[in-house]
Amino acid sequence: ETSFVFAHRRASTDEELNAWLPHDWLRQEYERLGLVSPNWRISTANADHALIPSYPAALVVPSCITDAEIAVAVGFRRNGRFPAVCWRHPTHGAVLYRSSQPLVGVAGRTCDEDERIVR
């Protein structure tokens, strides 16, 4: 009964799950992608995963976007998944965002904060 199948237990906290990673691994990845610059900033609005549980604690957003604007944009997207940068082209700097569908609805609602993020 000491085989992996019986002895293994699922990690119960983020700390246990990410114990093998350096504490600043996400910042290192953002730097590798060239996303730590005057045009971008690392937001900690989701530090406790209260805004978007499925997103990391630190998110890269345009430097002109405030954490308050992120909180508003979260309310405009399905499951709160606002546009988040996930990749940057190394040569020309174009970025790839991932998000869920906006909650436009029949009335054609818009959200200025959400639109500012993707501009």
Side-chain angles (χ1 to χ4, degrees):
E1 306 262 337
T2 58
S3 70
F4 176 80
V5 195
F6 296 106
H8 177 70
R9 121 184 130 68
R10 189 176 215 162
S12 59
T13 65
D14 280 349
E15 288 78 26
E16 287 180 14
L17 185 63
N18 297 321
W20 61 277
L21 294 169
H23 77 283
D24 62 343
W25 71 271
L26 191 55
R27 180 176 181 78
Q28 291 174 4
E29 181 63 9
Y30 289 149
E31 286 175 359
R32 184 186 71 78
L33 290 171
L35 290 168
V36 179
S37 72
N39 297 329
W40 304 98
R41 72 178 182 88
I42 297 176
S43 168
T44 55
N46 197 40
D48 56 358
H49 298 279
L51 280 177
I52 315 117
S54 61
Y55 274 16
L59 299 162
V60 172
V61 296
S63 59
C64 62
I65 301 298
T66 66
D67 288 349
E69 289 174 310
I70 292 171
V72 172
V74 162
F76 185 67
R77 294 284 176 155
R78 181 168 165 76
N79 297 324
R81 295 186 181 124
F82 77 99
V85 176
C86 60
W87 183 78
R88 179 181 173 272
H89 191 279
T91 307
H92 54 72
V95 294
L96 179 65
Y97 285 95
R98 294 195 70 174
S99 68
S100 60
Q101 291 294 318
L103 300 173
V104 177
V106 179
R109 291 182 343 153
T110 62
C111 177
D112 292 337
E113 291 82 1
D114 186 73
E115 290 177 12
R116 282 193 48 174
I117 292 172
V118 294
R119 242 183 244 150

